[in-house]
Amino acid sequence: MRKIISIILCLLFVFCLSACSYNNQPENNSINSNSDKIATQEINLPLLHSEYALIIDKIVKAYPWNDDDLTMVPENPELSYMYRRNSELSEVGFALIDLDGNGQEELIISDPSKFVYDLYTISNGKAVHLFDSGERYYYVLRENGIVENSWSGSAATSGHDFYKLNDGKLDFVERITLDAYYALDAGLINDLSEANEDNCFFRSNSEDEKDYKAISSDEAIKTIENYQNANKELEIEYTFLSDYKK
């Protein structure tokens, strides 16, 4: 009997503590008030060069990006058409980073969950477009000024081009490619069905096929991995276009 009474008393004690804790909680009004304050706080936007501000402003004004015309902004025909894959301004952002250490910040515009859409720099006071990404080619920014372009022409051609950003210019470093068409023309294979065989892989220090040097598939994979391991993909903090104010 004493055990039963003790259990009942313990349960009553716990109930009382829970009730007191509940009564001490702030009212819903104060919680909503704090949320409103957070929601209305000004976002510290990065200071944009006037040329960069014009580009961002045109991209925002072109929203929603659902036009079938690949030229999203007529005044900036070089812009990537990949924005059309995003349905909200909050899905695309921009950032300013001096990628090559020359004192001039580059403008990076991207869907942070994917790859860089467009990259700009300033030269002689004007915005210079360095690259744009598309459906079969996309760019990734890496450490040490390295830029990687992964591309695919078909099942028979694909590759990775590596560049180095030097003083606002993209210098070609190396291409690692699978090119069955080149291998077929060079007599290295008899049919495009042999596209994945070792004699279809090449590396080159230029984009010109005459500089292609045959390598094995293992060497191709290892070379790409060496670039990627030595130059990690940059972790970039973006300001979303939904927060942009001119």
Side-chain angles (χ1 to χ4, degrees), residues 222-240:
K222 184 177 180 179
T223 303
I224 293 169
E225 289 178 344
N226 285 342
Y227 272 107
Q228 295 173 342
N229 292 334
N231 308 282
K232 300 296 185 184
E233 184 174 350
L234 293 181
E235 294 184 4
I236 302 172
E237 187 172 335
Y238 289 93
T239 297
F240 291 98

Side-chain angles (χ1 to χ4, degrees), residues 59-234:
I59 293 173
V60 171
K61 286 182 177 179
Y63 175 82
W65 310 301
N66 54 10
D67 194 340
D68 290 334
D69 184 359
L70 296 185
T71 306
M72 190 178 69
V73 178
E75 299 88 345
N76 295 81
E78 74 278 5
L79 280 169
S80 172
Y81 57 86
M82 298 301 288
Y83 297 86
R84 297 183 307 150
R85 292 195 166 191
N86 302 96
S87 58
E88 302 292 339
L89 285 170
S90 58
E91 295 173 352
V92 178
F94 66 93
L96 297 174
I97 300 179
D98 182 0
L99 296 171
D100 54 4
N102 69 343
Q104 173 60 61
E105 291 179 319
E106 276 68 47
L107 171 65
I108 307 161
I109 314 171
S110 173
D111 175 344
S113 67
K114 297 178 183 174
F115 41 79
V116 175
Y117 283 174
D118 289 285
L119 181 70
Y120 284 87
T121 192
I122 299 293
S123 178
N124 297 321
K126 297 294 183 181
V128 177
H129 188 251
L130 295 175
F131 65 70
D132 67 287
S133 291
E135 290 177 324
R136 286 186 170 270
Y137 62 99
Y138 63 90
Y139 287 82
V140 172
L141 298 176
R142 298 191 171 276
E143 296 173 340
N144 306 311
I146 296 296
V147 178
E148 179 182 1
N149 175 21
S150 300
W151 54 271
S152 174
S154 66
T157 58
S158 61
H160 294 255
D161 290 348
F162 294 93
Y163 300 83
K164 176 128 177 120
L165 189 62
N166 288 316
D167 198 22
K169 296 180 181 179
L170 280 178
D171 293 336
F172 191 90
V173 177
E174 189 169 19
R175 167 174 290 178
I176 310 298
T177 181
L178 160 67
D179 194 334
Y181 290 111
Y182 177 83
L184 183 64
D185 291 340
L188 300 174
I189 59 174
N190 298 314
D191 189 85
L192 288 179
S193 62
E194 304 173 39
N196 290 320
E197 294 190 4
D198 276 354
N199 50 4
C200 291
F201 291 85
F202 307 90
R203 68 189 303 172
S204 173
N205 293 120
S206 78
E207 297 173 320
D208 196 326
E209 291 181 352
K210 67 180 179 61
D211 294 325
Y212 279 9
K213 296 179 181 178
I215 57 175
S216 67
S217 58
D218 287 342
E219 184 179 351
I221 293 171
K222 184 177 180 179
T223 303
I224 293 169
E225 289 178 344
N226 285 342
Y227 272 107
Q228 295 173 342
N229 292 334
N231 308 282
K232 300 296 185 184
E233 184 174 350
L234 293 181

